[in-house]
Amino acid sequence: MTFSVAGICPDTGMVGCAITSSSICVASRCAFVRSGTGVALTQNITNPDLGPLALDLLQEGQSPQQVLAALAEADSDVQWRQLGVLNSTGEGTTFSGEQALGIFSTAQGQNCIAMGNLLENTGVPQAMIDSFENSSGHLAERLLSALEAGLAAGGELGPVHSAGLLVAAQPQWPVVDLRVDWHIEPIHELRMVWQNYEPQMQAYITRAKDPSNAESFGVPGDE
C-alpha cells in the first residue's frame, strides 16, 4: 500500500524521507525522523510504535542492523511489516516480512534506502534510489524528486491518495514536515506545498532561534 525513500545529506547533516500510499494520512504513522539520529520507516501492515523505538535505538548508538533485529524481537507480528532504518552517517537496512502485500521490493544506495509494497513492479524502489543518487540540492527536493521517480516508474498498483515529506536538521523539530493526507494526486500536491514552503523555511528557523531578527509575518496587523 506504500512506497517510500529515505536519505541523508552528509554536507548539512540533514536526514529525511518521502512517502506515499493509497491509504489516508500515511506520513502520520509510517515516517519518522530525528535530528542527528536518522530515519525510520514502518509500512505494509503498519505498527507505528516501531518508528520511535527505532530512532531511540539509533540514538543509543546501535547500528541499523542491530535496530532491525531489536524491532523483530519487540514485535511478534514483524512478518506483517516492511521496515527501513537509515542512520545519520548513511548506513541503512530494510526488511520485508513474509506477509508483505502484493509485489514488494527494496533497494539501497549511497546514503539512501527505498522500499514499497503492492507495487506495479519490483523496479520502483531502484528508480527512487537512482533519482536520489543522481540529484543535488536541498535534501527535501532530492527526496521529493525520488518519490516522483518512483511514481513515474509505476508506483503502487492502484492510485495513491496521501503523501508526506519530512526532513530534520540542526533544530530538534523537523524543518520540513509537509503532508497531503487525502488527494487525487497527492505527490503533485505535495510538490506544490514544498514549492510554497521552501522560500519561507529559513524564516521559520530564524523565528525559533533568533526572534529579534525574524522577518515580518507579512499579514495584516504585523508591522
Side-chain angles (χ1 to χ4, degrees), residues 14 138 140 171 173-178 191-209 213-219 222:
M14 291 182 178
H138 195 282
W173 44 275
V175 296
V176 179
D177 188 355
L178 310 179
R191 165 65 65 183
M192 185 185 70
V193 175
W194 165 242
Q195 288 173 338
N196 280 276
Y197 178 71
E198 182 183 15
Q200 305 179 59
M201 178 174 54
Q202 186 55 51
Y204 286 106
I205 297 172
T206 301
R207 289 169 191 171
K209 289 177 161 287
N213 288 311
E215 300 176 23
S216 167
F217 282 83
V219 296
D222 181 26

Side-chain angles (χ1 to χ4, degrees), residues 2-4 19-20 115-116 119 124 128 147 150-151 155-156 160 187:
T2 304
F3 58 98
S4 59
I19 189 167
T20 189
M115 57 186 187
L119 298 172
V124 171
M128 292 189 283
L147 197 69
L151 182 66
E156 193 173 327
V160 291
I187 300 176

